[in-house]
Amino acid sequence: MSRDDEFNPFLNVVDADEDVGFGPEGAFAGLGTSTTPDADPRLTQSAFSATTTATTTATTGTQSVFAGSASANSGAARTEGTSDGGATATTATPAPKRRGWIFSASYYQQFFDVDTEDVQERVMNVFTAPHSGNFLEGVVKGNPDLYVPIWGGATLVFLTALGSAWGKYNTHKNAAWDFDASTVSLSAALIYGYVFVWSLIVYLTLTCYAGVENLRVIDVWCLYGYSILAFIPVCILATVPVELFRWLFTGACAALSTLFLMSNVRQRVLTSTKGSAFGVSFVSFIGSADFALSLVLK
């Protein structure tokens, strides 16, 4: 038999009785003539809806897993929801301040965590509302800084030394210009000693003796650091060669700084256990020391 005459059950048309593939006795019996009943449209639509719902649920579950991971890893957000599966609300919470070893720079970074708007608001409170007495509670709001106590003190040291030399030069017309560099070191010792050492004594008196609570030494340093800013205009206005005006400028700025300190310290002394007699005498003593500083700087 030639190759063209060979029988192929898949290519040659044969009778049903001789069908070895799809006939009644073939290997694929019944597949060739079987018919599929018409599917119910309702069942088809239900199956499609179930498949769509399952896909949507899987997608939502995947998104919720990643959303949950993001919420868990985010230190500045907290999610709250209702028990009946309602809408959720995200409440921002401040991240905790970084703290490290006390001899590392990262530990002191928290004391300089202020921006320009914060410093401007605090400086304006000193000059526009020194009588309010809410500097620590209403303006600082638990975030005291050492930026102004350090750099404001450095500015005051420079202006004090320069203003003193300029005032002497204007007062004595016949004298030559003489700048004494020792006034810089004296001013630095006086100003930084007042801001950090004297305020430390005030803090120990309030906490250890008077029993004032919720007061930190950084709060007192911040309070005294901003109070000395009132002396900066004195250093500038004191260059006027009229002695009366110089005394008037010194007295006005000293009264501003003293009022700022006394009003804020008074709020703390009122919570002490020593009574009003101690409070009045202590606040008066604080004011007298601040006024004496202005006379020394003059």
Side-chain angles (χ1 to χ4, degrees):
M1 181 182 294
S2 63
R3 179 175 300 178
D4 296 336
D5 297 335
E6 292 180 355
F7 176 77
N8 190 334
F10 296 98
L11 300 178
N12 298 92
V13 179
V14 296
D15 296 335
D17 296 339
E18 298 178 357
D19 186 9
V20 295
F22 296 94
E25 298 179 356
F28 305 99
L31 296 181
T33 58
S34 63
T35 59
T36 304
D38 295 338
D40 189 353
R42 293 174 297 178
L43 297 178
T44 304
Q45 184 177 3
S46 177
F48 177 75
S49 301
T51 304
T52 306
T53 304
T55 305
T56 306
T57 304
T59 305
T60 306
T62 303
Q63 293 177 352
S64 63
V65 169
F66 287 102
S69 300
S71 299
N73 293 330
S74 178
R78 179 171 55 89
T79 304
E80 297 178 353
T82 58
S83 59
D84 56 352
T88 59
T90 302
T91 303
T93 56
K97 294 183 178 181
R98 297 181 179 180
R99 296 180 181 272
W101 193 36
I102 191 174
F103 295 106
S104 62
S106 60
Y107 177 82
Y108 298 95
Q109 183 179 0
Q110 60 184 317
F111 303 129
F112 297 88
D113 188 17
V114 289
D115 52 18
T116 305
E117 288 76 12
D118 295 333
V119 175
Q120 288 179 350
E121 181 182 5
R122 299 175 184 188
V123 172
M124 290 301 296
N125 182 265
V126 175
F127 289 95
T128 60
H131 59 281
S132 61
N134 64 340
F135 179 76
L136 295 178
E137 293 81 5
V139 181
V140 175
K141 299 177 182 178
N143 185 30
D145 68 280
L146 293 180
Y147 180 82
V148 169
I150 292 178
W151 293 109
T155 303
L156 185 59
V157 167
F158 173 76
L159 291 179
T160 300
L162 184 61
S164 176
W166 184 259
K168 292 179 180 179
Y169 176 76
N170 286 335
T171 303
H172 304 86
K173 293 294 185 179
N174 297 328
W177 170 261
D178 182 21
F179 179 77
D180 189 3
S182 62
T183 56
V184 177
S185 58
L186 292 177
S187 299
L190 178 64
I191 293 172
Y192 284 114
Y194 177 75
V195 171
F196 293 102
V197 179
W198 173 254
S199 62
L200 179 61
I201 298 175
V202 173
Y203 166 75
L204 294 176
T205 304
L206 290 175
T207 55
C208 298
Y209 179 75
V212 176
E213 299 179 352
N214 298 326
L215 183 65
R216 299 174 298 175
V217 65
I218 185 68
D219 296 328
V220 182
W221 283 343
C222 180
L223 181 65
Y224 269 81
Y226 278 89
S227 69
I228 64 173
L229 295 181
F231 296 127
I232 292 180
V234 175
C235 301
I236 300 175
L237 298 175
T239 58
V240 176
V242 178
E243 190 68 16
L244 178 61
F245 287 163
R246 294 173 62 182
W247 278 107
L248 291 177
F249 296 151
T250 302
C253 294
L256 182 68
S257 176
T258 303
L259 179 61
F260 174 76
L261 266 183
M262 293 179 63
S263 59
N264 284 277
V265 173
R266 176 179 174 273
Q267 298 295 329
R268 297 291 179 170
V269 174
L270 290 177
T271 62
S272 66
T273 59
K274 296 299 181 180
S276 60
F278 169 78
V280 172
S281 59
F282 186 77
V283 171
S284 301
F285 179 71
I286 292 296
S288 301
D290 189 72
F291 199 85
L293 174 67
S294 64
L295 296 179
V296 173
L297 292 177
K298 195 270 177 189

